Amino acid sequence: MSWSAVVFGYGDGGRGGKGVFQGMRTGLCSTFIMLLLVFFVHVSASALILDESPAEPGSWGFRPADGTSVFVNPPAFTWRPHKHREVLYALQVAKDADFENILYQQTALPWSTHCPAQVFPAGVSLYWRYRAQEPEGRWSDWSTVRRMTIAPEATAYPKPERAALAARIPKGHPRLFFLAEEIDFLREQAKTDQAELWTKLREKADALLATPPDTTEPPRYPDGVKYKGEEWKKIWWGNRRRAVAVADGAALLAFVYALSGEKSYGEGARELLLAFCEWDPKGATNYEYNDEAAMPLLYYPSRTYSWIYDLLTPEQRSRVISVMRQRGQDCYQHLRGRRHLWRPYASHSNRAWHWLGEVAIAFHGEIPESEEWLDYSMTLFYSCYPVWGGNDGGWHEGMAYWESYLSRFMNWALVSRTAFQIDPFEKPFFRETGYYGMYTLPPGTQTGAFGDLAFRMTSHRIAPLMSQLAVGANNRYWCWYADKHRLSGRNYLDFVFTAKSGALTAEVPEALPSSRCFKDTGLAVLNTNLLDGLNNVQVHFKSSPFGRQSHGYNANNAFLLNVDGAPVFIRSGHRDVYGSPHHAKWMFETKSDNAILINGKGQRVHTADATGQITEFHTQPQLDVLIGEAGDAYEPGTRWTRRIFFFKPSAVLIHDVLEAPEPAQYQWLLHATAPFELGPNYAACTPDVGKAEVRFLRPLSLNLSQKDVCDPPPYAWSNIELKEWHLTAETTEQKAQQEFITLITVKEAPATAITTPAAEGVRVVLTLPEEYTVLLTCEHAKVQGKGVDLQF
């Protein structure tokens, strides 16, 4: 008999239609039913259920994951947030899985991420769990227990508690970038080491006083404007420019006032600051309406306020505080609303948090929410920043966004050192990331690698950031890189950073290998000459565990080839506006990369779950080898293993192994900056840097074709003229398993290749002019020659 039959009188009705309760005393039955109902109601009301389902693509996930080792001590603990934002959390860390020996615990945690203020024992297993509490006080059960180990070599990097952070903020002003007691030192620098830059800054300030920027409020989009269209983009970016002109102009004038003491500059800054305060925080520069215009209006006014604090009346301060409280809260609610601590891959939000941190510091003690904003920002930094790189310093979104976002972050590095004595360069990523710039753009290189807008990156463009990274990490190689570009200061933050930085002696990186793999982000850069990009053959490769999300949307297992600092084989297309038809339907697609299509279809588009990985990397002076796997990026799942053998300085052998769920045709793609000359299983192009030849050694017969248009093209109004050619080498028969063996040579290098069948595979004998023998099977590869004897 079921419990429902007992409670509700069901069942046993077949005996003359009489229920089970017939003959029972009515009082006893009623009491029994009431007790059960009370029990069930109590259990239902008190149950708070945790969602511990696996993290979906694009989420940070449960960290530290069960069974992992961590390399920052203490680690940041992250779990899936409860669907109700108002819950609080408790966390426990113990030395045993039964939690009888608790090492650390916290209650009333406001977010589903917590960064402890103490280090933990290293080299031993530790266990952690969490639970949630509703405002009414009801607790959930404890979560699954997860085990972790702090690596013995882990960096000690505890996050100060909220009250401790607030206590470190200087009481007076200025408190952003420099303190009152540092002004005399900066004034001396203006007369000596920084005299040239100081003169430029004063000239810019004088020009601003003579011709102030337009302070009228930026406009909203007119009714009917086409989203992402020409007029929309003009207003969208134009409003950012107008916001920066006013707010950064005020900050420059405020800086010159702080160092010179001349009131005309301070009064000019005050006038611009108060004019900005007349703009509606919920208008065209509101965070949700146009975050590109809103973000500068977080940090520039904060700097101005702190640097001219003594020139503002109480009424003027109150006005600024009111506006900045609203703008700060809008940013904070945006980050909270997106659950950025759990889903931290929103690109813009990864700079918004430290702009919010500047607001929190500047207005600490005056905006009631500032302490919460600051703790949230610092929790984000300690837990999931940078989201696009790992401990080896790579950057998933590519060189343009690496330079852009880290250049902005360096402002926060100086702010946090000044206000809190916290050094971001103690984190492993920041100790390594300068190598990503150095290897991607050796001095003189004129183009970047994968990622949005990377084509326009040059070594000279990243040199200012490399200079700051060199000082922060005390890295002499990066200092050498910056010195090669003969830098000069550009703005007031350059002045402060340089003035407060110690001297660093440059060292030529002759001892470093010329190639490097950033496996955490699935990026590898193979160079023949790390010291001179103008005399360098360079191969880029991507197969990323980050997938194809955000600005790092290029296909996994794709490669690029640069010669003497210029592009030859490229990732094609040119962004007119983010998300446009050309951007989304050409550049996001596998067809725009040097990759492979299966039956004309590419990898899953613009998503975190189209993953790849670099499974092998080997470098030595005459040969680099790397292997990538990208089968999981296709739908349905397949296999695509790509092996690249870079025989330095001029030959690249590529072996592709594909397995599809059913017989298919395959399209091997190549994009170039010059038209192709086509022959049987042969293609060549001749850009300005010299000839590049492509020989398809396997399969023995391919249909080769080329075109010089992208479908769809960029918007006509963008005036983008693409000079690109797109080669397709298509198989002539359908097969479930397919191999390609391709030899690329550059600079008209002499090369012969003979392929012969071998047991389970193909033997390739290359004369370059040194002779190498490469044995290729579906599962293994072996290469032998002078100074080389490797097996993978």
Side-chain angles (χ1 to χ4, degrees), residues 464-680:
L465 172 60
M466 288 293 290
S467 177
Q468 293 183 332
L469 293 173
V471 172
N474 195 33
N475 189 300
R476 295 183 177 186
Y477 296 147
W478 307 350
C479 181
W480 164 86
Y481 185 98
D483 287 353
K484 289 280 288 185
H485 295 83
R486 299 180 181 178
L487 301 174
S488 58
R490 303 163 297 174
N491 55 46
Y492 52 86
L493 293 185
D494 285 345
F495 181 102
V496 178
F497 193 94
T498 303
K500 297 178 70 170
S501 300
L504 186 61
T505 303
E507 182 177 348
V508 181
E510 296 172 306
L512 295 180
S514 61
S515 302
R516 197 176 186 99
C517 179
F518 302 92
K519 198 169 184 179
D520 291 342
T521 46
L523 299 168
V525 191
L526 316 180
N527 294 293
T528 59
N529 189 345
L530 185 61
L531 306 183
D532 183 5
L534 297 178
N535 183 26
N536 181 38
V537 178
Q538 183 183 60
V539 177
H540 292 269
F541 183 79
K542 173 193 173 177
S543 200
S544 175
F546 284 84
R548 305 185 62 202
Q549 61 182 310
S550 191
H551 297 283
Y553 48 71
N554 297 104
N556 290 303
N557 276 9
F559 75 94
L560 308 172
L561 178 68
N562 297 332
V563 175
D564 294 342
V568 175
F569 297 140
I570 60 173
R571 36 41 116 254
S572 62
H574 185 132
R575 189 177 96 185
D576 43 8
V577 62
Y578 188 89
S580 72
H582 172 68
H583 196 225
K585 298 299 183 182
W586 177 266
M587 298 181 71
F588 287 3
E589 297 279 354
T590 306
K591 64 185 178 181
S592 70
D593 286 306
N594 301 321
I596 294 178
L597 307 179
I598 302 174
N599 284 332
K601 294 184 64 176
Q603 299 169 14
R604 289 190 290 274
V605 176
H606 204 218
T607 176
D609 60 359
T611 57
Q613 62 174 323
I614 295 176
T615 58
E616 296 283 351
F617 172 76
H618 171 84
T619 183
Q620 62 187 76
Q622 67 270 48
L623 174 68
D624 291 334
V625 181
L626 61 82
I627 303 174
E629 179 57 56
D632 288 342
Y634 290 85
E635 184 65 49
T638 184
R639 174 193 176 184
W640 177 22
T641 303
R642 171 164 272 181
R643 301 178 179 130
I644 292 184
F645 304 84
F646 184 21
F647 296 94
K648 302 174 186 179
S650 56
V652 181
L653 183 70
I654 303 175
H655 181 217
D656 295 300
V657 180
L658 297 108
E659 296 176 0
E662 57 187 29
Q665 282 185 289
Y666 304 84
Q667 295 81 32
W668 198 99
L669 307 179
L670 193 63
H671 306 269
T673 56
F676 289 97
E677 168 195 345
L678 302 182

Side-chain angles (χ1 to χ4, degrees), residues 131-148:
R131 61 176 178 168
Q133 183 185 34
E134 289 182 324
E136 294 81 3
R138 295 185 295 268
W139 285 98
S140 71
D141 291 334
W142 285 105
S143 70
T144 299
V145 175
R146 293 172 171 86
R147 181 178 61 84
M148 64 174 180

Side-chain angles (χ1 to χ4, degrees), residues 409-478:
F409 176 81
M410 290 307 297
N411 297 339
W412 179 253
L414 187 53
V415 166
S416 60
R417 280 176 166 174
T418 301
F420 308 117
Q421 298 79 52
I422 291 174
D423 185 2
F425 283 88
E426 293 179 11
K427 295 186 80 169
F429 170 85
F430 293 102
R431 295 200 298 265
E432 299 293 327
T433 193
Y435 290 117
Y436 176 63
M438 174 182 289
Y439 278 83
T440 302
L441 294 171
T445 304
Q446 297 301 304
T447 186
F450 294 106
D452 241 350
L453 306 178
F455 71 94
R456 68 186 188 184
M457 300 305 296
T458 68
S459 67
H460 192 273
R461 186 164 180 170
I462 71 167
L465 172 60
M466 288 293 290
S467 177
Q468 293 183 332
L469 293 173
V471 172
N474 195 33
N475 189 300
R476 295 183 177 186
Y477 296 147
W478 307 350

